[in-house]
Amino acid sequence: MQALRSAFIALSHNRTLRRFLEHSSLGVRLSSRFIAGLTMEDALRVAAEVNRQGIAVTLDSLGESVTSEAEARRAAEVYHQLLEAIAARSIEANVSVKLTQMGLELSAGLAESIAGSLVEHARSLGNFVRIDMEDSRLTQVTLNIVRRLHRFHAGAIGVVIQSYLYRSEADIEQLLADGIRVRLCKGAYNEPASVAFPRKGEVDANYARLSRQLLQSPVYHALATHDPAMIDAAKDFARRHGIAPDHFEFQMLYGVRRDLQRTLVRDGYRVRVYVPFGSEWYPYFMRRLAERPANVLFLLRNYFRS
Ligand code: FDA
């Protein structure tokens, strides 16, 4: 299983397969289970549909690791337009942003300044920017940028913490001290045992521990997982400690465990779905297959059936 996961993550960097899939109708159709579509209009339409089920949204304009400042600014412009469209159409959505798409690998200062303008724009509209977390080489610089931006725009920026990293408990303590909102996930990248728990059981145990740390804090946090064991443990902990269901939210990915999303809403919990869109869907799509290689069969079966 671990070998398959690593194989898909390795494939997520394969340029030939990427070029082929991104430009073929097969690729676009297979990915449509997890991706709202190629355009912003597709994303807004899906967001409104998801809202009608009582589920909030976070929108991700796909793209990672830009190679020029102009590209980073173009990527940010999409987010500025998204923030305006969300407000104009009263959609219940915020945005999720990757700092490498804002130029982090060109210059940390550039990414901070571009992300800072986005957070400022979001705050002026009463909205919120979640900074996604990427691989562990970027954890510290991402947290530094988030902490600095939070000082000027408290409440309009939050970050993601991954339970597979050994450092996460200490990072959460620091973020809680600063009052920064956290989205907790297990982590989606290939990481060495020097920085991350190698066994799934340990990642899960850490997820449960960190969830409790977040739930007990006065800040509003998000538990991003499709794992029923993690979700049940969080619900149980909240119930036993008198933590109201509206003090936190569960988050899941578009196209994954829709049944569980609906059940949580029916039971009175807050749910937000991560809705990605755009032409650069390939690495995101491959990471979803890495999480559950059985999805390949599922997608192909549906494809040939239709
Ligand atoms: P786990 O992988 O243990 O899966 C538990 C169960 O969930 C599986 O048995 C299966 O039933 C179901 N499941 C999980 N993934 C599935 C899939 N792709 N298809 C179908 N079923 C699936 N990561 C990161 O490194 N940085 C980030 O910023 C984010 N952001 C983020 C936002 C949101 C809203 C979510 C939900 C997730 C992320 N992630 C992320 C991804 C996260 O790190 C992780 O890879 C996935 O959520 C899968 O982990 P689970 O917690 O679902 O558990």
Side-chain angles (χ1 to χ4, degrees):
M1 199 61 175
Q2 189 55 35
L4 266 178
R5 182 175 189 270
S6 301
F8 276 110
I9 291 187
L11 277 178
S12 76
H13 303 292
N14 184 304
R15 293 202 188 153
T16 313
L17 186 60
R18 177 174 184 163
R19 216 169 309 122
F20 167 71
L21 278 180
E22 279 187 349
H23 295 97
S24 74
S25 61
L26 168 72
V28 170
R29 274 180 65 191
L30 287 181
S31 63
S32 65
R33 167 83 193 187
F34 301 119
I35 286 112
L38 299 178
T39 66
M40 188 187 302
E41 209 41 56
D42 292 329
L44 293 166
R45 179 180 40 77
V46 166
E49 271 165 33
V50 171
N51 280 177
R52 280 195 283 280
Q53 298 165 37
I55 298 176
V57 163
T58 184
L59 287 167
D60 169 27
S61 169
L62 291 165
E64 300 165 18
S65 286
V66 295
T67 51
S68 71
E69 180 175 341
E71 219 185 316
R73 295 203 181 278
R74 271 199 304 278
E77 184 48 34
V78 175
Y79 277 106
H80 283 291
Q81 289 172 17
L82 260 183
L83 287 168
E84 287 298 328
I86 290 168
R89 301 183 198 192
S90 305
I91 293 175
E92 179 57 42
N94 58 38
V95 294
S96 288
V97 175
K98 287 189 173 46
L99 288 183
T100 56
Q101 199 186 6
M102 303 294 121
L104 183 59
E105 287 177 309
L106 300 171
S107 139
L110 174 70
E112 180 165 342
S113 129
I114 293 180
S117 315
L118 270 181
V119 177
E120 196 174 343
H121 189 179
R123 194 181 57 162
S124 75
L125 295 166
N127 209 332
F128 175 80
V129 176
R130 177 79 61 184
I131 303 295
D132 283 346
M133 189 57 82
E134 302 178 71
D135 68 71
S136 63
R137 289 172 308 122
L138 303 171
T139 308
Q140 191 59 53
V141 66
T142 301
L143 292 174
N144 292 346
I145 290 175
V146 168
R147 215 167 274 137
R148 276 196 296 272
L149 293 180
H150 173 80
R151 269 188 229 134
F152 299 103
H153 310 293
I157 182 167
V159 72
V160 178
I161 291 291
Q162 300 149 323
S163 75
Y164 62 19
L165 295 185
Y166 303 131
R167 57 176 290 165
S168 288
E169 186 171 350
D171 286 337
I172 286 187
E173 266 165 32
Q174 174 83 61
L175 290 164
L176 292 185
D178 291 343
I180 297 177
R181 285 166 62 174
V182 173
R183 170 201 292 152
L184 180 65
C185 68
K186 290 187 188 175
Y189 299 82
N190 258 346
E191 297 291 358
S194 53
V195 298
F197 294 105
R199 279 194 292 275
K200 180 163 165 45
E202 294 170 313
V203 177
D204 289 354
N206 201 35
Y207 191 99
R209 196 167 35 243
L210 300 181
S211 304
R212 294 193 290 272
Q213 209 182 345
L214 293 178
L215 286 172
Q216 282 176 299
S217 93
V219 181
Y220 185 85
H221 299 293
L223 302 179
T225 179
H226 315 93
D227 188 338
M230 300 298 119
I231 292 172
D232 286 347
K235 281 160 52 176
D236 188 53
F237 183 83
R239 217 169 12 239
R240 281 188 290 114
H241 290 81
I243 298 162
D246 64 0
H247 181 60
F248 63 98
E249 66 187 31
F250 289 110
Q251 295 190 350
M252 296 190 206
L253 302 176
Y254 178 65
V256 179
R257 293 302 313 263
R258 291 175 178 157
D259 53 336
L260 189 51
Q261 296 171 18
R262 281 193 291 266
T263 305
L264 285 169
V265 171
R266 193 198 59 209
D267 293 347
Y269 292 96
R270 290 187 171 195
V271 179
R272 185 178 300 272
V273 167
Y274 188 102
V275 176
F277 72 96
S279 55
E280 292 184 47
W281 49 262
Y282 176 81
Y284 176 90
F285 178 61
M286 294 310 270
R287 286 200 296 275
R288 301 296 74 85
L289 297 186
E291 278 149 17
R292 191 162 178 266
N295 273 336
V296 178
L297 291 177
F298 167 80
L299 294 175
L300 285 173
R301 225 181 4 248
N302 283 354
Y303 179 78
F304 287 113
R305 206 175 278 147
S306 64

